[in-house]
Amino acid sequence: MRGTLRAWRSRWERLRNRDRVGADPFGPPRSRAWQRPAQLVVAAFALVTLVGTALLMLPIAHEGPKSTSLVQALFTAVSAVCVAGLAVVDTGQHWSTFGEIVILALIKTGGVGIMTLASVLGMVVIRRFGLRMQLSAQAETRSLNLGDVRSLVARIFVISTTCEVVVSLVLTLRLWTYYEEPFGQALYHGVFHGVAAFNNAGLALYSDSLTRFAADPVILLPVAAAIVLGSLGFPVLLEMRRHIRQPRRWSLHTKLTLTASSFLLVAGIVAITVLEWSNPATLGAMSWPQKLLTGVFHGVMPRSGGFNVVDVGQMDDSTLFVTIMLMFVGGGSAGTAGGIKATTFAVIFVVVWAEIRGHPDVHAFGRRLSGGAIRQALSLTFLSMTVVAAATVYLLITTPFPLEQILFEVVSAFGVVGLSTGITPELPGQAQVLLVLLMFAGRIGPITFASALALRERTRRYDLPEARPIIG
Amino acid sequence: MRGTLRAWRSRWERLRNRDRVGADPFGPPRSRAWQRPAQLVVAAFALVTLVGTALLMLPIAHEGPKSTSLVQALFTAVSAVCVAGLAVVDTGQHWSTFGEIVILALIKTGGVGIMTLASVLGMVVIRRFGLRMQLSAQAETRSLNLGDVRSLVARIFVISTTCEVVVSLVLTLRLWTYYEEPFGQALYHGVFHGVAAFNNAGLALYSDSLTRFAADPVILLPVAAAIVLGSLGFPVLLEMRRHIRQPRRWSLHTKLTLTASSFLLVAGIVAITVLEWSNPATLGAMSWPQKLLTGVFHGVMPRSGGFNVVDVGQMDDSTLFVTIMLMFVGGGSAGTAGGIKATTFAVIFVVVWAEIRGHPDVHAFGRRLSGGAIRQALSLTFLSMTVVAAATVYLLITTPFPLEQILFEVVSAFGVVGLSTGITPELPGQAQVLLVLLMFAGRIGPITFASALALRERTRRYDLPEARPIIG
Ligand SMILES: [K+]
Ligand SMILES: [K+]
């Protein structure tokens, strides 16, 4: 840990002195120090998680005479830091106001923290390959100095806080005026759920999540909008803000993310609305405008929101299966979403499409995808599938629940979505610890894995003869 | 159809005249005729299936006063031609000896037929790219004439018939001497199950599949060995026979197939033995040598055998899930197996491994994998997943069965494995037709899709600027 920090500090030194000494801090490394950024991300998250767990273990963190077990505190801290949203205890009932504020702080730290770290890593990767990315004004010049990073952090903080304040304000006013909560309580609830929404945390202070607002578009639509925005990821948000009227200037990353996210969003809304339309336990009893509102809201959730207004455990198996696939893909990179990411999904789709049309190169939006990006998308997807499959087999062996419920909970944890068919609190302790590991791996894994891969990419030195095995 | 045959005949003409006119029949095509080989495969299988269905509809094809519905005849014909092994009626009870012989003929036609067509397509693909493949003596010279194809067909017929005769002989002798079946019946049963085994057809004449032989290694081990051999695929079998003592001379394809198949075989055997060890409905009540024998036998089945000696429907959910994954991968190319194929799996693994180690190129056994092969493996895998997912959603909506049973049956059909948890006969007619489509797509799809892709591969004419989206 101390070694990691020292290496990182020396990197900053090289970074600050780069104009003077002319060394490129992100050029090909002389030592193995280039592995450090990924290690720093893991270490930072582990540290915040440990502090959060310790705070949640304090007697003042929970209400009344109950006690909090280590697994409960750890699970809640990881769920908050990783903005997952799965819960082993009732968030509003179990935790005191102090505990809830700790959770809120963990959400904000985890949400903004990962955005920042992922964006910095993204800049490093992009810079290393000499490709332009419009994260900052100097981006085109291939220089990256501490000013860039400071400005990046500031921009992320401003964007995320602005979104959170707007949604919190709407929720507060609605809770205060329409639901007649006292102003202080309305403000507290408004801020908590506003922050939870933009950060896709999925933790609600109400025992029924947001079910009590199932017919209220003034609550549900701002929450859904905040979830979608947060899930797009910071690079996309910033680029959209800068070039809102010039979509042509958007980078390939933004175009791929927006296209894939739109498709997944529509697919989710249509699937849930159609498949649950006459399910008496979910949309069946509703008026049709409410069916549509609920369909939209629950179609947004796999982006990786995690709130619910109907009982997910009562949904049809077909809905659960579609939701599992949507959760596995998740949202945009360097945002509050999990999963393999919409860009990865888009890259795979583009590759398949190019193959079907027999194109020798993989093109998207007037750009050629590098073989490296394709191999990384494939690797990330298959490693993620391996993790999900292994966890599923373990839970199938050790718990009595059927495949659809286990797969749902595993993918929800790995995709840091937080939707649940209700089995998480009933799982044995070691299975809950497995979900903790899945949330952690799902939040940190893809970012650090992919950036570590990209940073390690080397130019080829020699070539072996090419061979073509029979595929299919 | 007539047009297809005409185009194919003209291709043969060009082929026969190639030395005279100097035209390369497999060179870059002038017209769209290069799409024809794939169409021929589809047309040939459709034709054989139609004839088989018509024959099975005849009154003399079934026993006693029962009748055969169109769906029953179609399902059985497709299951036999595609060497899948799923059944909607009891094979031994429902069909007369005439019907059974039709089924046997369909199995042999489908098994050898696809081996031949896939091998010819494979030669075409390999030749088109100027890569050496040791299918025939002249292979290295880059010439492919009708003599090659004739010799190829002859070799396939000799190899497959030799394997079938050996296994049939062992089974016949065992049934005759040990089980005291009359010689004629023992011969009939021996030949039927010997042919079914090598062709991985999975259809048995006994109502309980091979459960009555659950403790008899003299029956089970030859059947398992025939299934493994058939699943490796003809190119691998031939190369192993020619260079049995010089594994270094094996092609990359053979090395990848053998490595991946061995891994999947061991994984299947270990998983089933361990997971079912104390399941009272399967291995639980057995002596431990019988547990091992059954574990080996059922570990071989996902290669794509399809027989069973214990009730698959009674297996633990974890076993079903592992089996689903193994069945999805399947066996070797140009053989009797289905699935995305062991080579495809191996290519994906090698890509992931190269990424993890940060290698700029993807190497395997001293050869470099082309970007085209990687993109084709990715495309085939994701298209297969899409087909399986769509069929699963459809069956989840239209049938009352849980996810694990539906996914199992869908992957068993798509991977032409033939294992069943028992729901196939209970499915409604349109769901059975869906399984028919899955078996057909699973058997024909990967071969024609991949070869069509490979044949269409073009050299790039211009380059767009390269861009790197954020992965993960
Ligand atoms: K979430
Ligand atoms: K089979």
Side-chain angles (χ1 to χ4, degrees):
Chain A
M1 181 67 211
R2 194 182 276 179
T4 306
L5 284 177
R6 205 182 305 129
W8 191 249
R9 212 179 297 126
S10 91
R11 177 166 287 272
W12 283 135
E13 295 302 323
R14 287 165 69 200
L15 194 67
R16 299 178 75 167
N17 297 332
R18 87 175 282 282
D19 295 327
R20 241 173 300 150
V21 302
D24 180 1
F26 297 111
R30 266 166 302 177
S31 70
R32 311 197 84 204
W34 46 267
Q35 292 181 325
R36 300 301 155 104
Q39 290 181 13
L40 182 86
V41 174
V42 175
F45 266 74
L47 185 67
V48 174
T49 301
L50 288 182
V51 172
T53 306
L55 289 175
L56 290 177
M57 288 291 284
L58 293 178
I60 55 163
H62 60 81
E63 281 182 2
K66 308 164 287 206
S67 72
T68 303
S69 75
L70 177 61
V71 170
Q72 286 171 339
L74 175 69
F75 195 101
T76 306
V78 169
S79 185
V81 166
C82 297
V83 293
L86 287 172
V88 287
V89 295
D90 185 316
T91 308
Q93 299 272 316
H94 182 92
W95 305 108
S96 66
T97 304
F98 172 78
E100 289 166 11
I101 288 172
V102 168
I103 291 171
L104 191 62
L106 291 173
I107 290 172
K108 181 82 182 160
T109 311
V112 172
I114 207 84
M115 274 188 162
T116 311
L117 288 167
S119 299
V120 170
L121 282 176
M123 285 172 78
V124 172
V125 169
I126 300 284
R127 207 63 50 105
R128 180 114 148 63
F129 288 89
L131 302 166
R132 111 189 160 155
M133 194 194 187
Q134 291 146 338
L135 281 176
S136 67
Q138 295 96 323
E140 279 91 346
T141 66
R142 268 201 88 184
S143 75
L144 177 67
N145 55 45
L146 201 54
D148 289 342
V149 175
R150 274 192 195 133
S151 135
L152 182 71
V153 174
R155 281 153 196 269
I156 291 176
F157 194 80
V158 167
I159 284 194
S160 61
T161 308
T162 307
C163 289
E164 287 160 4
V165 166
V166 170
V167 178
S168 300
L169 205 65
V170 174
L171 297 185
T172 302
L173 287 175
R174 184 69 171 176
L175 291 171
W176 184 34
T177 58
Y178 185 81
Y179 293 92
E180 296 180 349
E181 291 190 8
F183 180 75
Q185 192 191 327
L187 181 65
Y188 180 58
H189 281 166
V191 168
F192 190 95
H193 295 102
V195 172
F198 179 76
N199 289 287
N200 282 11
L203 291 165
L205 294 179
Y206 307 105
S207 300
D208 59 358
S209 188
L210 302 184
T211 306
R212 64 187 62 191
F213 308 115
D216 187 358
V218 183
I219 296 283
L220 295 193
L221 292 183
V223 166
I227 287 172
V228 170
L229 280 179
S231 78
L232 289 176
F234 174 76
V236 173
L237 291 182
L238 186 60
E239 212 171 49
M240 285 176 71
R241 207 191 60 168
R242 285 188 62 201
H243 303 297
I244 189 69
R245 290 173 191 280
Q246 296 149 290
R248 289 199 179 171
R249 295 190 58 184
W250 292 349
S251 66
L252 176 64
H253 175 76
T254 295
K255 288 173 182 167
L256 286 178
T257 302
L258 287 176
T259 311
S261 293
S262 308
F263 168 76
L264 294 166
L265 200 55
V266 171
I269 291 171
V270 169
I272 285 167
T273 310
V274 169
L275 294 174
E276 295 298 317
W277 189 264
S278 45
N279 180 348
T282 57
L283 306 194
M286 297 178 179
S287 65
W288 73 258
Q290 201 189 337
K291 283 180 203 243
L292 292 183
L293 176 65
T294 309
V296 167
F297 190 78
H298 268 278
V300 167
M301 287 313 114
R303 299 297 73 244
S304 72
F307 291 121
N308 61 285
V309 295
V310 296
D311 184 351
V312 174
Q314 295 293 318
M315 286 181 172
D316 192 77
D317 281 355
S318 57
T319 317
L320 295 183
F321 189 68
V322 172
T323 307
I324 287 168
M325 292 189 283
L326 293 171
M327 293 193 299
F328 183 77
V329 176
S333 304
T336 53
I340 61 167
K341 302 297 178 320
T343 345
T344 310
F345 174 75
V347 165
I348 290 171
F349 177 84
V350 170
V351 169
V352 173
W353 188 239
E355 277 303 305
I356 288 175
R357 296 196 304 172
H359 286 188
D361 282 313
V362 182
H363 295 164
F365 296 112
R367 290 283 181 280
R368 184 165 58 82
L369 285 177
S370 72
I374 293 170
R375 291 199 303 271
Q376 279 160 34
L378 187 151
S379 302
L380 177 60
T381 305
F382 279 91
L383 283 179
S384 299
M385 285 180 176
T386 307
V387 168
V388 165
T392 301
V393 170
Y394 178 78
L395 292 183
L396 282 172
I397 297 171
T398 56
T399 72
F401 300 104
L403 178 61
E404 61 267 23
Q405 288 194 309
I406 286 175
L407 198 57
F408 193 94
E409 223 75 2
V410 165
V411 174
S412 177
F414 183 75
V416 294
V417 178
L419 292 172
S420 173
T421 63
I423 68 171
T424 291
E426 297 172 44
L427 290 174
Q430 99 279 8
Q432 291 178 343
V433 172
L434 177 66
L435 291 185
V436 164
L437 294 175
L438 282 173
M439 290 189 280
F440 204 82
R443 186 77 174 122
I444 316 294
I447 292 164
T448 51
F449 175 74
S451 61
L453 288 190
L455 288 176
R456 267 158 83 149
E457 224 168 69
R458 287 176 245 164
T459 44
R460 59 178 68 148
R461 289 194 217 148
Y462 65 98
D463 251 3
L464 289 172
E466 195 172 87
R468 164 180 289 276
I470 305 173
I471 302 288
Chain B
M1 181 65 213
R2 194 180 280 176
T4 305
L5 284 177
R6 205 182 306 130
W8 190 248
R9 212 178 299 125
S10 90
R11 178 167 286 272
W12 281 135
E13 296 301 323
R14 286 166 70 202
L15 196 66
R16 299 176 75 165
N17 298 330
R18 89 176 282 283
D19 294 327
R20 240 173 302 149
V21 301
D24 181 1
F26 298 112
R30 268 165 301 178
S31 70
R32 311 196 83 204
W34 46 266
Q35 292 181 327
R36 300 301 155 105
Q39 290 180 14
L40 182 87
V41 174
V42 174
F45 266 74
L47 185 68
V48 173
T49 301
L50 288 181
V51 172
T53 306
L55 289 174
L56 289 177
M57 289 291 284
L58 294 177
I60 55 162
H62 59 81
E63 280 181 2
K66 306 165 288 202
S67 71
T68 303
S69 76
L70 178 61
V71 170
Q72 286 171 340
L74 176 70
F75 195 100
T76 306
V78 169
S79 185
V81 166
C82 297
V83 294
L86 286 172
V88 287
V89 294
D90 186 315
T91 309
Q93 300 270 316
H94 181 92
W95 306 107
S96 66
T97 303
F98 171 78
E100 290 166 10
I101 289 173
V102 169
I103 291 172
L104 191 62
L106 291 174
I107 289 172
K108 180 82 181 161
T109 312
V112 172
I114 207 84
M115 272 188 162
T116 311
L117 288 167
S119 299
V120 171
L121 282 176
M123 284 173 78
V124 173
V125 169
I126 298 284
R127 209 62 49 106
R128 179 117 147 62
F129 287 91
L131 302 167
R132 115 191 156 148
M133 194 194 187
Q134 292 148 336
L135 281 176
S136 65
Q138 295 96 324
E140 278 93 345
T141 66
R142 267 201 87 185
S143 74
L144 177 66
N145 54 44
L146 200 55
D148 288 344
V149 175
R150 276 194 192 130
S151 133
L152 183 70
V153 174
R155 281 154 195 267
I156 291 176
F157 194 81
V158 167
I159 284 195
S160 60
T161 307
T162 307
C163 289
E164 287 160 5
V165 165
V166 169
V167 179
S168 298
L169 205 66
V170 174
L171 297 185
T172 302
L173 287 175
R174 184 69 170 177
L175 291 172
W176 183 36
T177 58
Y178 186 82
Y179 293 93
E180 296 178 350
E181 291 190 10
F183 180 74
Q185 191 191 326
L187 180 66
Y188 180 58
H189 281 168
V191 169
F192 190 95
H193 296 103
V195 172
F198 178 76
N199 289 287
N200 282 10
L203 290 165
L205 295 180
Y206 307 104
S207 300
D208 60 356
S209 187
L210 303 184
T211 306
R212 65 187 62 193
F213 308 114
D216 186 358
V218 183
I219 296 283
L220 297 191
L221 292 182
V223 167
I227 287 172
V228 169
L229 280 180
S231 78
L232 290 176
F234 173 75
V236 173
L237 290 183
L238 187 59
E239 211 171 53
M240 284 175 72
R241 206 191 59 168
R242 285 188 63 203
H243 303 296
I244 189 68
R245 290 173 191 281
Q246 296 147 291
R248 289 202 179 168
R249 295 189 59 182
W250 292 348
S251 67
L252 176 64
H253 175 76
T254 295
K255 288 175 183 165
L256 285 179
T257 302
L258 286 176
T259 312
S261 293
S262 309
F263 168 77
L264 293 166
L265 200 56
V266 171
I269 291 171
V270 169
I272 286 168
T273 310
V274 169
L275 296 174
E276 296 297 317
W277 189 265
S278 45
N279 179 350
T282 58
L283 307 195
M286 297 176 178
S287 65
W288 72 258
Q290 201 190 336
K291 284 181 203 241
L292 292 183
L293 176 65
T294 310
V296 167
F297 190 79
H298 268 279
V300 168
M301 288 311 114
R303 299 299 72 243
S304 70
F307 292 121
N308 61 285
V309 296
V310 296
D311 184 350
V312 174
Q314 295 293 319
M315 285 182 172
D316 192 76
D317 282 356
S318 57
T319 316
L320 295 182
F321 188 70
V322 171
T323 307
I324 287 168
M325 292 189 283
L326 293 171
M327 293 194 299
F328 183 77
V329 175
S333 305
T336 54
I340 61 168
K341 302 296 179 317
T343 345
T344 310
F345 175 75
V347 166
I348 290 171
F349 178 85
V350 169
V351 170
V352 173
W353 188 238
E355 277 304 305
I356 289 174
R357 295 195 305 172
H359 286 188
D361 282 312
V362 182
H363 294 165
F365 294 112
R367 290 284 181 279
R368 185 165 57 82
L369 286 177
S370 71
I374 294 169
R375 292 199 303 272
Q376 279 160 35
L378 186 151
S379 301
L380 176 61
T381 306
F382 278 92
L383 284 178
S384 300
M385 284 180 177
T386 306
V387 168
V388 166
T392 301
V393 170
Y394 178 79
L395 292 183
L396 282 172
I397 296 171
T398 55
T399 72
F401 300 104
L403 178 61
E404 61 267 23
Q405 287 194 308
I406 287 176
L407 198 57
F408 192 93
E409 223 75 1
V410 165
V411 174
S412 177
F414 183 76
V416 296
V417 177
L419 292 172
S420 172
T421 63
I423 67 172
T424 290
E426 297 173 44
L427 290 175
Q430 98 280 7
Q432 291 177 343
V433 172
L434 178 66
L435 292 185
V436 165
L437 294 175
L438 283 172
M439 289 189 281
F440 204 82
R443 187 75 174 121
I444 317 293
I447 292 164
T448 52
F449 175 75
S451 62
L453 287 190
L455 288 176
R456 269 159 83 151
E457 224 167 71
R458 289 174 244 164
T459 45
R460 58 178 70 149
R461 290 194 217 149
Y462 65 97
D463 250 3
L464 288 171
E466 194 173 86
R468 163 180 292 275
I470 306 173
I471 304 287

